[in-house]
Amino acid sequence: MILAGPDETAAAGAALAAVLRPGDVVALSGDLGAGKTTFARGLLHALGFQGEVPSPSFPIVIPYAPPELAIPLWHVDLYRIEDPEELLELGLDEARADSVVLIEWPERMGRLLWPDALRLTIAPHGTDARRLTWEAPAPWEGRWPVR
Ligand SMILES: Nc1ncnc2c1ncn2[C@@H]1O[C@H](COP(=O)(O)OP(=O)(O)O)[C@@H](O)[C@H]1O
Ligand SMILES: [Mg+2]
């Protein structure tokens, strides 16, 4: 999927928002500046969040919950994680019990990334365009890509 500019990247996030349910994990890969947080902003605004969406690089986790968001969601950026031990302290496992978990830099989880996560990758495509690709395991069939 080609995303011609930041607005289209945000719109792709908004499209995903419509099919999300608690317990979903979305892994969002791409280099610094690829557009991961832009995608997350579109997604969060589509779920009703009205404010500014900061990048969660510090703190590493920004939790959202009703009533500011339609469903509970953790926005996570693992860029600064160096040791899997630090991952355990974040409590992502517990979050999955009742929240969507949206993860930038999921590579930092290595094999700890859940196999049922929707894996999205944003890559450069010319100057202001991006190419969005994905791997959608079974729980995502019929949900992503949204048609
Ligand atoms: N098609 C595009 N999609 C997303 N961002 C884009 C696009 N074209 C240009 N940009 C710019 O690239 C930057 C992406 O930043 P950000 O979303 O924070 O990236 P990341 O979270 O991947 O580091 C923003 O400044 C945005 O305006
Ligand atoms: Mg980011």
Side-chain angles (χ1 to χ4, degrees):
M1 187 186 293
I2 301 300
L3 309 166
D7 289 352
E8 286 196 12
T9 301
L16 177 59
V19 303
L20 284 179
R21 47 194 187 224
D24 284 339
V25 177
V26 177
L28 204 43
S29 294
D31 287 339
L32 278 176
K36 302 180 295 298
T37 299
T38 302
F39 183 98
R41 282 191 184 111
L43 191 157
L44 284 159
H45 286 143
L47 289 173
F49 187 68
Q50 308 253 325
E52 187 193 334
V53 175
S55 173
S57 38
F58 187 84
I60 290 169
V61 174
I62 301 180
Y64 296 84
E68 59 176 3
L69 214 67
I71 49 176
L73 181 149
W74 280 26
H75 186 189
V76 183
D77 185 331
L78 300 178
Y79 186 65
R80 289 193 164 74
I81 293 284
E82 289 169 0
D83 185 338
E85 286 288 316
E86 300 170 59
L87 277 175
L88 299 177
E89 289 163 20
L90 294 178
L92 299 181
D93 265 318
E94 292 87 323
R96 261 206 95 168
D98 63 358
S99 304
V100 172
V101 182
L102 174 62
I103 308 173
E104 300 186 35
W105 294 98
E107 294 76 12
R108 298 288 194 266
M109 293 184 75
R111 288 178 299 123
L112 291 176
L113 179 66
W114 299 273
D116 61 349
L118 174 64
R119 295 204 299 280
L120 303 175
T121 301
I122 306 176
H125 185 75
T127 322
D128 267 347
R130 305 288 192 265
R131 179 189 297 275
L132 177 67
T133 56
W134 54 84
E135 288 175 64
W140 294 92
E141 265 169 40
R143 290 205 286 155
W144 185 267
V146 178
R147 46 184 89 237

